[in-house]
Protein backbone atom coordinates (compact mmCIF):
# COMPACT_ATOMS: atom_id res chain seq x y z
CA UNK A 1 0.00 0.00 0.00
CA UNK A 2 1.30 3.42 -0.85
CA UNK A 3 2.28 5.90 1.84
CA UNK A 4 0.02 8.39 -0.01
CA UNK A 5 -3.32 6.54 -0.08
CA UNK A 6 -5.39 9.31 -1.72
CA UNK A 7 -2.85 9.80 -4.52
CA UNK A 8 -2.55 6.06 -4.97
CA UNK A 9 -6.34 5.57 -5.39
CA UNK A 10 -6.58 8.43 -7.88
CA UNK A 11 -3.59 7.20 -9.89
CA UNK A 12 -4.79 3.60 -9.92
CA UNK A 13 -8.16 4.64 -11.44
CA UNK A 14 -6.33 6.69 -14.10
CA UNK A 15 -3.99 3.79 -14.88
CA UNK A 16 -6.90 1.35 -15.25
CA UNK A 17 -8.49 3.68 -17.79
CA UNK A 18 -5.22 4.41 -19.65
CA UNK A 19 -3.53 0.97 -19.65
CA UNK A 20 -6.20 -1.52 -18.69
CA UNK A 21 -7.32 -2.37 -22.23
CA UNK A 22 -3.77 -2.96 -23.46
CA UNK A 23 -2.68 -6.66 -23.55
CA UNK A 24 -0.72 -7.43 -20.42
CA UNK A 25 2.28 -8.76 -22.37
CA UNK A 26 2.70 -5.38 -24.12
CA UNK A 27 2.83 -3.27 -20.96
CA UNK A 28 6.25 -1.83 -20.09
CA UNK A 29 6.91 -0.99 -16.45
CA UNK A 30 9.25 1.89 -17.23
CA UNK A 31 6.80 3.52 -19.66
CA UNK A 32 3.89 3.19 -17.24
CA UNK A 33 5.98 4.51 -14.31
CA UNK A 34 7.04 7.58 -16.30
CA UNK A 35 3.44 8.30 -17.26
CA UNK A 36 2.34 7.83 -13.63
CA UNK A 37 4.99 10.25 -12.37
CA UNK A 38 3.94 12.97 -14.80
CA UNK A 39 0.26 12.38 -13.96
CA UNK A 40 0.97 12.65 -10.24
CA UNK A 41 2.98 15.84 -10.71
CA UNK A 42 0.01 17.43 -12.51
CA UNK A 43 -2.30 16.15 -9.75
CA UNK A 44 -0.03 17.71 -7.07
CA UNK A 45 0.08 21.06 -8.83
CA UNK A 46 -3.70 21.25 -9.05
CA UNK A 47 -4.31 20.75 -5.31
CA UNK A 48 -3.81 23.32 -2.56
CA UNK A 49 -2.47 20.61 -0.27
CA UNK A 50 -0.28 19.11 -3.01
CA UNK A 51 2.92 20.27 -1.30
CA UNK A 52 2.31 17.52 1.28
CA UNK A 53 3.20 14.93 -1.41
CA UNK A 54 6.99 14.78 -1.77
CA UNK A 55 8.96 13.79 -4.86
CA UNK A 56 9.98 10.55 -3.16
CA UNK A 57 6.33 9.68 -2.47
CA UNK A 58 5.43 10.43 -6.10
CA UNK A 59 8.20 8.13 -7.31
CA UNK A 60 7.23 5.31 -4.90
CA UNK A 61 3.52 5.57 -5.73
CA UNK A 62 4.13 5.66 -9.48
CA UNK A 63 6.43 2.62 -9.37
CA UNK A 64 3.93 0.70 -7.20
CA UNK A 65 1.06 1.32 -9.62
CA UNK A 66 3.26 0.49 -12.64
CA UNK A 67 4.42 -2.76 -11.02
CA UNK A 68 0.82 -3.74 -10.24
CA UNK A 69 -0.37 -2.98 -13.78
CA UNK A 70 2.35 -5.19 -15.27
CA UNK A 71 2.43 -8.10 -12.82
CA UNK A 72 -1.06 -8.49 -11.42
CA UNK A 73 -3.75 -6.47 -13.17
CA UNK A 74 -5.52 -8.36 -15.95
CA UNK A 75 -8.52 -7.28 -17.96
CA UNK A 76 -11.49 -9.46 -17.09
CA UNK A 77 -12.62 -11.63 -19.95
CA UNK A 78 -16.10 -11.02 -21.28
CA UNK A 79 -18.55 -13.48 -19.81
CA UNK A 80 -19.66 -15.91 -22.53
CA UNK A 81 -23.29 -15.86 -23.50
CA UNK A 82 -25.29 -18.60 -21.75
CA UNK A 83 -26.07 -21.63 -23.87
CA UNK A 84 -29.48 -22.09 -22.24
CA UNK A 85 -32.06 -19.97 -20.42
CA UNK A 86 -34.07 -20.66 -17.29
CA UNK A 87 -37.26 -20.65 -19.34
CA UNK A 88 -35.77 -23.07 -21.85
CA UNK A 89 -34.65 -25.39 -19.06
CA UNK A 90 -38.12 -25.30 -17.52
CA UNK A 91 -39.72 -26.23 -20.86
CA UNK A 92 -37.20 -29.01 -21.39
CA UNK A 93 -37.92 -30.34 -17.90
CA UNK A 94 -41.66 -30.41 -18.61
CA UNK A 95 -41.12 -32.27 -21.88
CA UNK A 96 -38.78 -34.81 -20.32
CA UNK A 97 -41.11 -35.40 -17.35
CA UNK A 98 -43.98 -36.02 -19.79
CA UNK A 99 -41.98 -38.48 -21.90
CA UNK A 100 -39.96 -40.32 -19.25
CA UNK A 101 -42.88 -42.35 -17.73
CA UNK A 102 -42.90 -44.34 -20.98
CA UNK A 103 -39.28 -45.36 -20.34
CA UNK A 104 -39.42 -46.36 -16.68
CA UNK A 105 -39.38 -50.02 -17.64
CA UNK A 106 -38.20 -51.81 -20.74
CA UNK A 107 -39.19 -55.46 -21.24
CA UNK A 108 -39.82 -55.95 -17.55
CA UNK A 109 -36.62 -54.38 -16.25
CA UNK A 110 -35.73 -50.77 -15.31
CA UNK A 111 -34.31 -48.73 -18.16
CA UNK A 112 -30.97 -46.96 -17.71
CA UNK A 113 -30.42 -43.22 -17.73
CA UNK A 114 -27.89 -43.63 -20.58
CA UNK A 115 -30.52 -45.20 -22.83
CA UNK A 116 -33.06 -42.44 -22.09
CA UNK A 117 -30.41 -39.75 -22.65
CA UNK A 118 -29.49 -41.20 -26.04
CA UNK A 119 -33.11 -41.50 -27.13
CA UNK A 120 -34.13 -37.97 -26.03
CA UNK A 121 -30.80 -36.33 -26.95
CA UNK A 122 -30.29 -34.85 -23.48
CA UNK A 123 -27.49 -35.18 -20.96
CA UNK A 124 -27.28 -38.31 -18.86
CA UNK A 125 -27.59 -36.24 -15.70
CA UNK A 126 -30.91 -34.75 -16.85
CA UNK A 127 -32.21 -38.19 -17.79
CA UNK A 128 -31.13 -39.57 -14.41
CA UNK A 129 -32.95 -36.78 -12.53
CA UNK A 130 -36.09 -37.30 -14.62
CA UNK A 131 -36.04 -41.07 -14.00
CA UNK A 132 -35.58 -40.50 -10.27
CA UNK A 133 -38.57 -38.15 -10.25
CA UNK A 134 -40.70 -40.63 -12.18
CA UNK A 135 -39.77 -43.56 -9.96
CA UNK A 136 -40.25 -41.56 -6.79
CA UNK A 137 -38.08 -41.48 -3.67
CA UNK A 138 -39.16 -44.42 -1.51
CA UNK A 139 -36.52 -43.81 1.17
CA UNK A 140 -37.45 -40.13 1.50
CA UNK A 141 -41.18 -40.96 1.46
CA UNK A 142 -40.62 -43.47 4.26
CA UNK A 143 -38.83 -40.86 6.35
CA UNK A 144 -41.66 -38.37 5.79
CA UNK A 145 -44.22 -41.03 6.76
CA UNK A 146 -42.29 -41.69 9.99
CA UNK A 147 -42.64 -38.07 11.15
CA UNK A 148 -45.08 -37.25 13.93
CA UNK A 149 -47.94 -34.77 13.56
CA UNK A 150 -45.89 -31.63 14.18
CA UNK A 151 -43.02 -32.97 12.09
CA UNK A 152 -45.30 -33.49 9.09
CA UNK A 153 -46.69 -29.95 9.39
CA UNK A 154 -43.15 -28.54 9.54
CA UNK A 155 -42.15 -30.66 6.54
CA UNK A 156 -45.13 -29.36 4.54
CA UNK A 157 -44.15 -25.77 5.40
CA UNK A 158 -40.46 -26.33 4.58
CA UNK A 159 -41.18 -28.18 1.32
CA UNK A 160 -43.63 -25.47 0.20
CA UNK A 161 -41.15 -22.68 0.93
CA UNK A 162 -38.11 -24.51 -0.48
CA UNK A 163 -39.11 -26.98 -3.22
CA UNK A 164 -35.44 -27.02 -4.29
CA UNK A 165 -32.17 -26.23 -2.52
CA UNK A 166 -32.12 -22.74 -1.04
CA UNK A 167 -32.74 -20.81 2.18
CA UNK A 168 -35.21 -18.47 3.83
CA UNK A 169 -35.76 -16.81 7.20
CA UNK A 170 -38.95 -17.40 9.20
CA UNK A 171 -40.46 -16.27 12.48
CA UNK A 172 -40.71 -18.92 15.17
CA UNK A 173 -43.87 -17.26 16.49
CA UNK A 174 -45.59 -17.68 13.09
CA UNK A 175 -44.76 -21.39 12.97
CA UNK A 176 -45.79 -21.87 16.62
CA UNK A 177 -49.17 -20.31 15.86
CA UNK A 178 -49.60 -22.88 13.08
CA UNK A 179 -48.75 -25.78 15.42
CA UNK A 180 -50.57 -24.68 18.58
CA UNK A 181 -53.89 -22.87 18.51
CA UNK A 182 -53.66 -21.47 22.05
CA UNK A 183 -51.26 -18.50 22.33
CA UNK A 184 -48.33 -18.51 24.74
CA UNK A 185 -49.08 -15.85 27.36
CA UNK A 186 -45.76 -15.61 29.23
CA UNK A 187 -42.09 -15.39 28.26
CA UNK A 188 -41.45 -18.75 29.91
CA UNK A 189 -44.22 -20.36 27.87
CA UNK A 190 -42.85 -18.85 24.66
CA UNK A 191 -39.32 -20.11 25.44
CA UNK A 192 -40.68 -23.59 26.18
CA UNK A 193 -42.67 -23.58 22.94
CA UNK A 194 -39.62 -22.44 20.99
CA UNK A 195 -37.61 -25.34 22.42
CA UNK A 196 -40.34 -27.78 21.40
CA UNK A 197 -40.39 -26.24 17.94
CA UNK A 198 -36.63 -26.69 17.45
CA UNK A 199 -36.90 -30.24 18.74
CA UNK A 200 -39.68 -30.94 16.20
CA UNK A 201 -37.40 -29.57 13.45
CA UNK A 202 -34.54 -31.96 14.33
CA UNK A 203 -35.85 -35.04 12.39
CA UNK A 204 -36.09 -32.90 9.25
CA UNK A 205 -32.28 -32.89 9.06
CA UNK A 206 -32.55 -36.39 7.54
CA UNK A 207 -34.58 -34.75 4.74
CA UNK A 208 -31.88 -32.08 4.18
CA UNK A 209 -33.74 -29.29 6.03
CA UNK A 210 -31.47 -27.49 8.51
CA UNK A 211 -32.43 -24.78 10.99
CA UNK A 212 -30.47 -22.21 13.00
CA UNK A 213 -32.35 -20.03 15.50
CA UNK A 214 -31.69 -16.63 17.04
CA UNK A 215 -34.42 -15.04 19.10
CA UNK A 216 -37.70 -15.23 17.21
CA UNK A 217 -36.00 -15.77 13.83
CA UNK A 218 -35.24 -19.14 12.23
CA UNK A 219 -32.85 -19.55 9.29
CA UNK A 220 -34.07 -22.53 7.25
CA UNK A 221 -31.92 -24.11 4.55
CA UNK A 222 -32.54 -27.01 2.19
CA UNK A 223 -29.43 -28.79 0.98
CA UNK A 224 -26.08 -28.43 2.70
CA UNK A 225 -25.84 -27.50 6.37
CA UNK A 226 -25.50 -23.94 7.59
CA UNK A 227 -22.09 -22.58 8.50
CA UNK A 228 -22.22 -20.45 11.66
CA UNK A 229 -21.02 -17.36 9.80
CA UNK A 230 -23.52 -17.69 6.95
CA UNK A 231 -26.47 -18.33 9.27
CA UNK A 232 -25.51 -15.36 11.47
CA UNK A 233 -25.30 -13.08 8.41
CA UNK A 234 -28.72 -14.17 7.10
CA UNK A 235 -30.36 -13.74 10.50
CA UNK A 236 -28.77 -10.31 11.01
CA UNK A 237 -29.95 -9.15 7.58
CA UNK A 238 -33.50 -10.32 8.32
CA UNK A 239 -33.47 -8.62 11.73
CA UNK A 240 -32.37 -5.35 10.09
CA UNK A 241 -34.91 -5.59 7.23
CA UNK A 242 -38.10 -7.40 8.31
CA UNK A 243 -39.20 -7.58 4.65
CA UNK A 244 -36.71 -10.43 4.21
CA UNK A 245 -38.68 -12.66 6.60
CA UNK A 246 -40.75 -15.06 4.51
CA UNK A 247 -44.48 -15.43 5.27
CA UNK A 248 -45.76 -18.94 5.88
CA UNK A 249 -47.51 -20.62 2.93
CA UNK A 250 -51.26 -21.01 3.29
CA UNK A 251 -52.21 -24.68 3.79
CA UNK A 252 -54.03 -25.99 0.73
CA UNK A 253 -56.41 -28.87 0.15
CA UNK A 254 -55.84 -29.58 -3.54
CA UNK A 255 -59.03 -31.61 -3.83
CA UNK A 256 -61.26 -28.59 -3.21
CA UNK A 257 -62.61 -26.34 -5.95
CA UNK A 258 -61.62 -23.13 -4.18
CA UNK A 259 -58.07 -24.39 -3.54
CA UNK A 260 -57.30 -25.26 -7.18
CA UNK A 261 -54.56 -23.27 -8.92
CA UNK A 262 -56.94 -21.77 -11.46
CA UNK A 263 -59.58 -20.62 -8.97
CA UNK A 264 -56.96 -19.19 -6.62
CA UNK A 265 -55.52 -17.32 -9.60
CA UNK A 266 -58.94 -15.92 -10.53
CA UNK A 267 -59.51 -14.76 -6.95
CA UNK A 268 -56.06 -13.15 -7.01
CA UNK A 269 -57.02 -11.43 -10.26
CA UNK A 270 -60.02 -9.84 -8.54
CA UNK A 271 -57.77 -8.71 -5.69
CA UNK A 272 -55.24 -7.22 -8.13
CA UNK A 273 -58.07 -5.29 -9.82
CA UNK A 274 -58.73 -3.77 -6.38
CA UNK A 275 -55.01 -2.89 -5.98
CA UNK A 276 -54.31 -5.83 -3.68
CA UNK A 277 -51.27 -7.09 -5.58
CA UNK A 278 -48.87 -5.84 -2.89
CA UNK A 279 -49.47 -9.06 -0.94
CA UNK A 280 -46.88 -11.69 -1.94
CA UNK A 281 -49.32 -14.62 -1.64
CA UNK A 282 -51.83 -12.82 -3.88
CA UNK A 283 -49.21 -11.96 -6.50
CA UNK A 284 -47.85 -15.52 -6.53
CA UNK A 285 -51.33 -16.91 -7.29
CA UNK A 286 -51.87 -14.14 -9.86
CA UNK A 287 -48.59 -14.96 -11.63
CA UNK A 288 -49.38 -18.69 -11.69
CA UNK A 289 -52.55 -18.19 -13.74
CA UNK A 290 -51.01 -15.76 -16.24
CA UNK A 291 -49.16 -18.54 -18.09
CA UNK A 292 -46.46 -16.12 -19.26
CA UNK A 293 -43.46 -18.16 -18.13
CA UNK A 294 -42.89 -21.77 -17.13
CA UNK A 295 -40.42 -20.84 -14.38
CA UNK A 296 -41.71 -17.92 -12.31
CA UNK A 297 -38.85 -17.76 -9.81
CA UNK A 298 -37.09 -14.86 -11.56
CA UNK A 299 -40.24 -12.73 -11.62
CA UNK A 300 -41.04 -13.55 -7.98
CA UNK A 301 -37.49 -12.57 -7.04
CA UNK A 302 -37.90 -9.22 -8.79
CA UNK A 303 -41.28 -8.76 -7.07
CA UNK A 304 -39.72 -9.38 -3.65
CA UNK A 305 -36.98 -6.89 -4.58
CA UNK A 306 -39.75 -4.30 -5.01
CA UNK A 307 -40.75 -4.91 -1.41
CA UNK A 308 -37.17 -4.64 -0.18
CA UNK A 309 -36.54 -1.25 -1.82
CA UNK A 310 -39.92 0.22 -0.89
CA UNK A 311 -39.77 3.05 1.60
CA UNK A 312 -42.38 4.06 4.15
CA UNK A 313 -44.04 6.48 1.69
CA UNK A 314 -43.20 5.48 -1.89
CA UNK A 315 -43.96 1.77 -2.17
CA UNK A 316 -42.95 0.32 -5.52
CA UNK A 317 -45.12 -2.71 -4.74
CA UNK A 318 -48.14 -0.37 -4.84
CA UNK A 319 -47.21 0.70 -8.39
CA UNK A 320 -46.27 -2.60 -9.96
CA UNK A 321 -46.80 -1.58 -13.62
CA UNK A 322 -44.24 1.23 -13.33
CA UNK A 323 -41.85 -0.97 -11.34
CA UNK A 324 -42.03 -3.84 -13.83
CA UNK A 325 -41.53 -1.44 -16.76
CA UNK A 326 -38.36 -0.09 -15.13
CA UNK A 327 -37.11 -3.55 -14.14
CA UNK A 328 -37.63 -4.86 -17.70
CA UNK A 329 -35.16 -2.30 -19.10
CA UNK A 330 -32.50 -2.93 -16.45
CA UNK A 331 -33.10 -0.32 -13.75
CA UNK A 332 -31.52 -1.05 -10.33
CA UNK A 333 -28.98 -3.25 -12.11
CA UNK A 334 -31.59 -5.95 -12.84
CA UNK A 335 -30.54 -8.24 -15.70
CA UNK A 336 -33.06 -10.72 -17.02
CA UNK A 337 -33.54 -13.03 -19.96
CA UNK A 338 -35.50 -11.74 -22.92
CA UNK A 339 -38.46 -13.98 -22.02
CA UNK A 340 -38.59 -12.63 -18.46
CA UNK A 341 -38.25 -9.01 -19.64
CA UNK A 342 -41.17 -9.50 -22.02
CA UNK A 343 -43.20 -11.14 -19.24
CA UNK A 344 -42.51 -8.21 -16.90
CA UNK A 345 -43.78 -5.72 -19.46
CA UNK A 346 -46.85 -7.84 -20.18
CA UNK A 347 -47.59 -8.23 -16.47
CA UNK A 348 -47.48 -4.47 -16.03
CA UNK A 349 -49.90 -4.00 -18.94
CA UNK A 350 -52.32 -6.58 -17.57
CA UNK A 351 -52.25 -5.14 -14.06
CA UNK A 352 -52.97 -1.67 -15.48
CA UNK A 353 -56.03 -2.94 -17.36
CA UNK A 354 -57.32 -4.95 -14.41
CA UNK A 355 -56.87 -2.02 -12.01
CA UNK A 356 -58.84 0.11 -14.45
CA UNK A 357 -61.72 -2.38 -14.16
CA UNK A 358 -61.60 -2.06 -10.39
CA UNK A 359 -61.32 1.73 -10.47
CA UNK A 360 -64.44 2.03 -12.65
CA UNK A 361 -66.40 -0.46 -10.54
CA UNK A 362 -66.92 -2.97 -13.33
CA UNK A 363 -68.48 -6.30 -12.48
CA UNK A 364 -66.41 -9.30 -11.38
CA UNK A 365 -67.57 -11.13 -14.52
CA UNK A 366 -66.16 -8.33 -16.70
CA UNK A 367 -62.85 -8.44 -14.80
CA UNK A 368 -62.53 -12.17 -15.50
CA UNK A 369 -63.42 -11.48 -19.14
CA UNK A 370 -60.59 -8.95 -19.27
CA UNK A 371 -58.20 -11.66 -18.10
CA UNK A 372 -59.53 -14.15 -20.64
CA UNK A 373 -59.04 -11.62 -23.45
CA UNK A 374 -55.25 -11.78 -23.13
CA UNK A 375 -52.88 -14.02 -25.04
CA UNK A 376 -50.16 -16.07 -23.38
CA UNK A 377 -47.27 -17.73 -25.22
CA UNK A 378 -48.80 -16.75 -28.55
CA UNK A 379 -52.17 -18.47 -28.03
CA UNK A 380 -55.50 -17.35 -26.51
CA UNK A 381 -55.39 -17.36 -22.72
CA UNK A 382 -57.97 -20.12 -22.23
CA UNK A 383 -56.03 -22.43 -24.57
CA UNK A 384 -53.19 -22.61 -22.02
CA UNK A 385 -55.28 -24.85 -19.72
CA UNK A 386 -56.45 -28.45 -19.90
CA UNK A 387 -60.13 -29.41 -20.04
CA UNK A 388 -60.57 -29.73 -16.25
CA UNK A 389 -58.97 -26.34 -15.63
CA UNK A 390 -61.16 -24.70 -18.29
CA UNK A 391 -64.25 -26.18 -16.66
CA UNK A 392 -63.23 -24.68 -13.30
CA UNK A 393 -62.62 -21.28 -14.91
CA UNK A 394 -66.04 -21.28 -16.60
CA UNK A 395 -67.67 -22.43 -13.34
CA UNK A 396 -66.04 -19.51 -11.50
CA UNK A 397 -67.36 -17.11 -14.13
CA UNK A 398 -70.87 -18.47 -13.66
CA UNK A 399 -70.60 -18.23 -9.85
CA UNK A 400 -69.65 -14.52 -9.87
CA UNK A 401 -72.05 -13.65 -12.71
CA UNK A 402 -74.90 -12.77 -10.33
CA UNK A 403 -76.85 -9.63 -9.49
CA UNK A 404 -77.31 -8.09 -6.06
CA UNK A 405 -80.52 -6.37 -7.11
CA UNK A 406 -79.66 -3.27 -9.09
CA UNK A 407 -76.50 -4.43 -10.91
CA UNK A 408 -74.01 -7.24 -11.28
CA UNK A 409 -71.71 -7.71 -8.28
CA UNK A 410 -68.32 -6.01 -8.39
CA UNK A 411 -64.95 -7.43 -7.33
CA UNK A 412 -65.22 -6.73 -3.60
CA UNK A 413 -68.69 -8.28 -3.34
CA UNK A 414 -67.53 -11.26 -5.40
CA UNK A 415 -64.61 -11.80 -3.04
CA UNK A 416 -66.99 -11.92 -0.07
CA UNK A 417 -69.10 -14.48 -1.95
CA UNK A 418 -66.04 -16.58 -2.75
CA UNK A 419 -64.87 -16.57 0.86
CA UNK A 420 -68.31 -17.71 2.05
CA UNK A 421 -68.56 -20.51 -0.51
CA UNK A 422 -64.99 -21.65 0.21
CA UNK A 423 -65.85 -21.87 3.91
CA UNK A 424 -69.00 -23.84 3.11
CA UNK A 425 -67.03 -26.22 0.86
CA UNK A 426 -64.58 -26.94 3.67
CA UNK A 427 -67.53 -27.62 5.97
CA UNK A 428 -69.08 -29.95 3.40
CA UNK A 429 -72.26 -27.90 2.81
CA UNK A 430 -71.42 -26.68 -0.71
CA UNK A 431 -70.09 -28.40 -3.84
CA UNK A 432 -68.92 -27.10 -7.21
CA UNK A 433 -69.95 -30.25 -9.12
CA UNK A 434 -73.16 -28.82 -10.57
CA UNK A 435 -71.43 -25.56 -11.49
CA UNK A 436 -68.68 -27.46 -13.32
CA UNK A 437 -71.07 -29.82 -15.13
CA UNK A 438 -73.98 -27.48 -15.88
CA UNK A 439 -72.80 -23.95 -15.04
CA UNK A 440 -75.62 -23.60 -12.51
CA UNK A 441 -76.27 -24.54 -8.85
CA UNK A 442 -78.70 -27.31 -9.85
Amino acid sequence: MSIAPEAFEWLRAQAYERWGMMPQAERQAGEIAAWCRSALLRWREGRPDGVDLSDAQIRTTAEGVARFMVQRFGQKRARPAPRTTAEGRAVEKLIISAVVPDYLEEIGRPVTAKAVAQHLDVSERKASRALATGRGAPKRDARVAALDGHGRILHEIAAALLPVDGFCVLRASDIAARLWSDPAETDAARRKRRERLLKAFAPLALLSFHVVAKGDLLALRRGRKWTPEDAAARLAAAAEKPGRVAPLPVPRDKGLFWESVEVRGLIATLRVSLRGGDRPDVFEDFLAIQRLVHDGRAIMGIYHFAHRISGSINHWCNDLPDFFARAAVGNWGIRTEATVSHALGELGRRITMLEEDGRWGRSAFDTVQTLLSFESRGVPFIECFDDDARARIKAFQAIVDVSDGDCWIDGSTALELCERLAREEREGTWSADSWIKYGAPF
Side-chain angles (χ1 to χ4, degrees):
M1 182 63 187
S2 170
I3 55 178
E6 186 179 358
F8 179 83
E9 291 297 331
W10 177 85
L11 183 61
R12 182 172 62 175
Q14 298 296 315
Y16 285 177
E17 184 177 352
R18 172 68 175 80
W19 303 96
M21 297 301 293
M22 179 182 290
Q24 199 164 6
E26 299 179 11
R27 299 175 193 159
Q28 301 296 323
E31 182 182 355
I32 298 177
W35 179 85
C36 288
R37 279 195 295 272
S38 62
L40 273 182
L41 287 171
R42 291 193 302 271
W43 180 83
R44 185 177 67 175
E45 293 172 358
R47 292 175 59 91
D49 56 347
V51 293
D52 295 337
L53 190 65
S54 66
D55 293 340
Q57 289 174 331
I58 288 179
R59 183 179 63 256
T60 302
T61 303
E63 291 175 353
V65 170
R67 187 168 52 251
F68 175 81
M69 293 298 297
V70 171
Q71 296 177 359
R72 298 185 61 185
F73 178 78
Q75 185 70 23
K76 292 184 179 179
R77 292 183 299 174
R79 186 174 181 177
R83 292 177 293 177
T84 61
T85 63
E87 187 68 6
R89 292 190 293 272
V91 173
E92 185 181 51
K93 184 178 179 181
L94 287 175
I95 295 173
I96 294 176
S97 63
V99 175
V100 155
D102 297 333
Y103 297 91
L104 293 181
E105 288 190 1
E106 185 180 61
I107 318 177
R109 65 175 184 270
V111 71
T112 63
K114 184 176 182 180
V116 175
Q118 291 175 346
H119 189 82
L120 298 180
D121 193 22
V122 297
S123 68
E124 199 168 326
R125 179 176 294 180
K126 290 180 181 179
S128 178
R129 286 199 298 263
L131 285 172
T133 302
R135 289 168 178 160
K139 290 185 178 179
R140 187 179 182 87
D141 294 342
R143 289 172 178 171
V144 173
L147 296 173
D148 59 12
H150 286 168
R152 291 188 183 184
I153 295 175
L154 293 177
H155 176 260
E156 291 175 0
I157 294 173
L161 288 168
L162 301 173
V164 295
D165 289 359
F167 74 91
C168 63
V169 178
L170 307 170
R171 293 195 186 279
S173 55
D174 294 342
I175 304 177
R178 182 72 60 86
L179 299 182
W180 297 284
S181 56
D182 56 315
E185 302 291 346
T186 63
D187 291 341
R190 283 189 283 272
R191 285 195 300 270
K192 186 69 175 178
R193 189 161 286 183
R194 180 172 170 273
E195 293 174 1
R196 292 174 61 189
L197 176 62
L198 294 177
K199 186 176 180 180
F201 259 117
L204 268 64
L206 296 175
L207 300 168
S208 300
F209 290 108
H210 309 285
V211 171
V212 174
K214 182 179 180 181
D216 190 40
L217 296 179
L218 299 178
L220 174 66
R221 165 171 274 171
R222 181 169 186 168
R224 66 181 186 273
K225 295 182 179 180
W226 284 107
T227 62
E229 297 80 9
D230 194 9
R234 301 299 181 185
L235 290 168
E240 182 180 355
K241 295 184 177 181
R244 296 187 177 182
V245 179
L248 294 187
V250 179
R252 308 288 189 186
D253 186 345
K254 296 183 179 179
L256 298 180
F257 172 80
W258 294 102
E259 296 297 342
S260 64
V261 174
E262 300 78 29
V263 174
R264 292 203 328 260
L266 292 169
I267 292 174
T269 299
L270 294 180
R271 295 191 185 281
V272 167
S273 72
L274 301 174
R275 299 184 64 83
D278 58 322
R279 286 173 44 186
D281 57 331
V282 171
F283 183 80
E284 187 172 7
D285 289 343
F286 175 74
L287 177 63
I289 200 177
Q290 300 304 310
R291 296 297 197 269
L292 290 171
V293 291
H294 289 91
D295 187 346
R297 289 178 296 175
I299 294 179
M300 284 303 303
I302 293 172
Y303 172 82
H304 288 304
F305 175 73
H307 276 267
R308 291 199 298 272
I309 66 173
S310 292
S312 59
I313 299 175
N314 182 22
H315 290 272
W316 281 113
C317 49
N318 288 335
D319 190 4
L320 290 175
D322 188 19
F323 173 79
F324 285 149
R326 293 168 181 262
V329 297
N331 280 27
W332 302 287
I334 295 174
R335 294 183 298 175
T336 60
E337 302 167 3
T339 306
V340 175
S341 297
H342 175 268
L344 288 171
E346 178 64 13
L347 274 175
R349 186 181 73 87
R350 294 184 181 188
I351 292 173
T352 299
M353 295 180 65
L354 292 169
E355 288 182 348
E356 183 180 350
D357 285 351
R359 185 165 56 250
W360 289 98
R362 297 189 177 114
S363 68
F365 180 87
D366 289 340
T367 300
V368 176
Q369 279 298 117
T370 299
L371 177 66
L372 298 183
S373 68
F374 299 136
E375 286 190 1
S376 294
R377 303 171 191 164
V379 298
F381 181 84
I382 198 67
E383 297 296 327
C384 298
F385 301 88
D386 57 28
D387 293 339
D388 292 338
R390 292 178 197 172
R392 286 189 288 269
I393 292 173
K394 292 185 179 298
F396 182 88
Q397 276 189 288
I399 290 172
V400 300
D401 187 21
V402 294
S403 171
D404 59 357
D406 296 333
C407 57
W408 306 107
I409 61 174
D410 59 8
S412 58
T413 307
L415 288 174
E416 295 174 2
L417 173 64
C418 294
E419 292 176 2
R420 178 173 62 82
L421 295 180
R423 185 169 56 252
E424 292 177 0
E425 185 182 27
R426 289 192 296 269
E427 296 170 353
T429 59
W430 184 88
S431 174
D433 292 343
S434 61
W435 291 97
I436 293 175
K437 291 180 181 178
Y438 312 113
F442 49 82

